Amino acid sequence: MPLFKLITSLKGGEFYAITHTTQAITKLSGSEAYNVLAENASMGINLRLLGNDTIEKAMKHIKKAINNPEIELKIVSGSEPAICSDTNCKQWNLLSDPGVSAPR
């Protein structure tokens, strides 16, 4: 696994992203003005789970990274990652055959 991590990180961000769970902060809110301290703040993180990652594993990772029990985490919506598709079937062979064009 360390070799795979090294290869994917050396190949660039796009390759790394399609082979690992990714996360992006997509929503932040706090004070209404630049010079006013916020009473409350919130942040949204969008996760794209891959492989053997689960919502539970992702939550544990985020809690560990935040390391502050006063910060409340909640799942707004989510679903577990899709299982890997079977590549030993007629449908896969049709998709992977370069000589077959898509129906119109």
Side-chain angles (χ1 to χ4, degrees):
M1 200 62 155
L3 179 60
F4 182 72
K5 285 185 177 185
L6 175 65
I7 292 169
T8 56
S9 63
L10 291 174
K11 285 298 223 177
E14 295 84 5
F15 185 69
Y16 189 87
I18 64 171
T19 58
H20 295 81
T21 291
T22 57
Q23 58 188 352
I25 297 172
T26 55
K27 183 177 180 182
L28 290 170
S29 66
S31 175
E32 296 287 326
Y34 292 112
N35 62 345
V36 177
L37 293 176
E39 289 184 34
N40 295 298
S42 66
M43 174 176 73
I45 302 174
N46 183 285
L47 297 167
R48 185 177 55 92
L49 301 174
L50 288 181
N52 293 326
D53 285 339
T54 62
I55 293 172
E56 182 181 350
K57 279 184 178 180
M59 288 293 283
K60 284 181 182 177
H61 174 77
I62 293 168
K63 284 179 185 179
K64 183 178 177 183
I66 292 172
N67 194 25
N68 184 338
E70 292 183 31
I71 294 177
E72 176 188 345
L73 298 178
K74 70 177 180 179
I75 298 170
V76 176
S77 66
S79 60
E80 299 297 347
I83 59 171
C84 291
S85 298
D86 182 13
T87 58
N88 194 15
C89 62
K90 178 183 173 186
Q91 292 80 4
W92 174 259
N93 293 336
L94 286 171
L95 287 172
S96 61
D97 184 352
V100 176
S101 60
R104 294 177 187 229

